[in-house]
Amino acid sequence: MNKQNRQFSIKQIITHQVISNQDDLCQALGKAGFAVTQATLSRDMKELGIARVNTAAGHRYILHVESEERRLTSMIGYEIESIDANENMIVIKTLPGRAQGVAEIIDSVRHPAVLGTLAGDNTIFVTPSSVTKIPEIHKLLKNLMTQKKLDVG
Amino acid sequence: MNKQNRQFSIKQIITHQVISNQDDLCQALGKAGFAVTQATLSRDMKELGIARVNTAAGHRYILHVESEERRLTSMIGYEIESIDANENMIVIKTLPGRAQGVAEIIDSVRHPAVLGTLAGDNTIFVTPSSVTKIPEIHKLLKNLMTQKKLDVG
DNA sequence: AAAGAACTTGCATATTTATGCATAATCATG
DNA sequence: CATGATTATGCATAAATATGCAAGTTCTTT
């Protein structure tokens, strides 16, 4: 009957049952022995980082994992799918819609070998100050990808 | 402006601006030249698989990657107007607003010679894994243009 | 080009979620 | 154990989101 158990139960329920709104969840929790109101569930959702998405199959809740640990951890590794290069530039593939944000982080490093970045929806072109710098930048970016923290202004 | 451009703009806006609700988004879109109502944005959110999450820093929107639909159209040939190349990359011109969709199809082929694509409104830059691959890609794209179906995983 | 189908959007409003405030429960400290 | 601080919760309602319907638009087919 405490908050922790209830919140754990919430995660279980939303991942294993069809829950379309907080009243649904309220009922499901009731069966599990947790009697709370919708207001409390709204607050639980916030604390658990649970997001609501509207799909063709109806409204669903998803765990937004990043939101729990994002505070000091950079998302950049999670967002980048690949880093490649040819003779002229480096190309980064990201999750859909993430290229802008990742490019901003790269810009913020202000590495002298990076002339500039150009971001679309899920692709970034990184232009080196000289083609001879490409391996160096490539290495920098690979490092960023696996780094846990970034001290970026 | 049309729906496709607006939805692309929505993804851009929610990933690099602070947007807390659909009215915020409505205003941001207004500045970008898209005049629509909250009702339309609610529908766009659904189609784009955008979820809303409540964090300590306020309400935010996130892209729910799995729900992004990537369907292959056999219309790619119709959408492409021209394919050209210089020493470094290939440039594709499409019908207005079609570049994003065409680029996604090219990406989905995952041809090893294609390092990445970057799409604007009606122009796509295709970067080769090496400049020596340009003729090969050029040929591939020309083939795609006339092909009826794509057998792509 | 006309007719019908399919898609898009706004309006009004129903549904759903978030929150200010008050109260109860839990915790920390002497 | 008493007391003040912190945390948790419900109630009522404000804020935000979703949707039925109708009108306008675009696409298809003949």
Side-chain angles (χ1 to χ4, degrees):
Chain A
M1 283 288 283
N2 62 45
K3 184 177 171 181
Q4 281 207 329
N5 288 339
R6 183 185 69 236
Q7 292 194 342
F8 178 74
S9 190
I10 287 173
K11 286 203 256 186
Q12 294 287 110
I13 290 171
I14 65 160
T15 52
H16 292 90
Q17 296 181 37
V18 173
I19 301 291
S20 299
N21 55 51
Q22 294 177 1
D23 282 337
D24 279 7
L25 181 56
C26 207
Q27 282 202 294
L29 279 171
K31 287 180 186 168
F34 300 97
V36 281
T37 61
Q38 171 270 324
T40 296
L41 298 185
S42 172
R43 293 173 183 122
D44 284 341
M45 297 289 202
K46 177 175 181 173
E47 290 170 19
L48 293 170
I50 291 173
R52 189 185 200 226
V53 62
N54 191 0
T55 72
H59 298 93
R60 291 300 130 76
Y61 292 94
I62 56 180
L63 286 167
H64 188 227
V65 272
E66 305 112 75
S67 66
E68 287 183 325
E69 42 189 280
R70 170 149 59 167
R71 289 170 57 195
L72 292 175
T73 305
S74 169
M75 291 252 306
I76 190 169
Y78 172 76
E79 293 177 306
I80 293 178
E81 287 191 340
S82 68
I83 303 176
D84 297 288
N86 68 1
E87 299 90 341
N88 295 304
M89 57 170 56
I90 296 143
V91 174
I92 301 172
K93 304 292 292 256
T94 71
L95 296 180
R98 302 300 193 153
Q100 290 290 337
V102 172
E104 272 169 29
I105 292 172
I106 293 168
D107 285 345
S108 73
V109 176
R110 295 183 194 284
H111 193 286
V114 176
L115 210 55
T117 63
L118 183 58
D121 183 63
N122 70 331
T123 303
I124 307 168
F125 284 3
V126 181
T127 311
S129 61
S130 158
V131 291
T132 63
K133 303 284 190 182
I134 288 182
E136 181 183 338
I137 297 175
H138 202 295
K139 191 177 169 189
L140 165 78
L141 294 173
K142 287 276 189 188
N143 281 345
L144 280 186
M145 238 186 104
T146 53
Q147 214 169 334
K148 288 291 178 188
K149 283 187 182 181
L150 281 178
D151 50 0
V152 170
Chain B
M1 299 285 195
N2 59 40
K3 181 176 172 181
Q4 190 178 354
N5 287 336
R6 182 185 69 236
Q7 292 192 341
F8 176 71
S9 191
I10 288 173
K11 288 201 271 185
Q12 298 289 113
I13 289 171
I14 64 160
T15 51
H16 67 283
Q17 291 182 38
V18 174
I19 300 292
S20 299
N21 55 52
Q22 293 178 1
D23 282 337
D24 279 7
L25 180 58
C26 207
Q27 282 201 293
L29 279 171
K31 286 180 187 167
F34 299 97
V36 281
T37 60
Q38 172 271 325
T40 296
L41 297 186
S42 173
R43 295 175 182 119
D44 283 341
M45 296 290 201
K46 178 174 182 175
E47 289 170 20
L48 292 170
I50 291 173
R52 189 185 200 225
V53 63
N54 191 359
T55 72
H59 298 94
R60 291 299 130 76
Y61 292 94
I62 57 180
L63 288 168
H64 188 227
V65 202
E66 293 105 79
S67 62
E68 289 259 323
E69 61 170 319
R70 48 182 66 192
R71 76 173 73 131
L72 296 184
T73 321
S74 54
M75 288 280 90
I76 184 169
Y78 171 73
E79 292 177 321
I80 294 177
E81 288 193 336
S82 68
I83 303 176
D84 297 291
N86 67 2
E87 300 87 359
N88 296 306
M89 57 170 58
I90 296 143
V91 175
I92 302 173
K93 304 293 289 258
T94 70
L95 295 180
R98 302 300 197 153
Q100 289 292 332
V102 173
E104 268 173 33
I105 293 171
I106 294 169
D107 283 346
S108 73
V109 175
R110 295 185 193 283
H111 194 286
V114 175
L115 210 54
T117 63
L118 184 58
D121 182 62
N122 70 331
T123 304
I124 307 169
F125 285 176
V126 181
T127 311
S129 62
S130 161
V131 292
T132 63
K133 304 285 188 180
I134 289 182
E136 182 183 338
I137 297 175
H138 203 297
K139 191 177 168 191
L140 166 78
L141 294 174
K142 287 276 189 188
N143 278 346
L144 280 187
M145 251 187 91
T146 52
Q147 217 168 331
K148 288 288 180 185
K149 277 188 181 181
L150 287 175
D151 49 4
V152 170

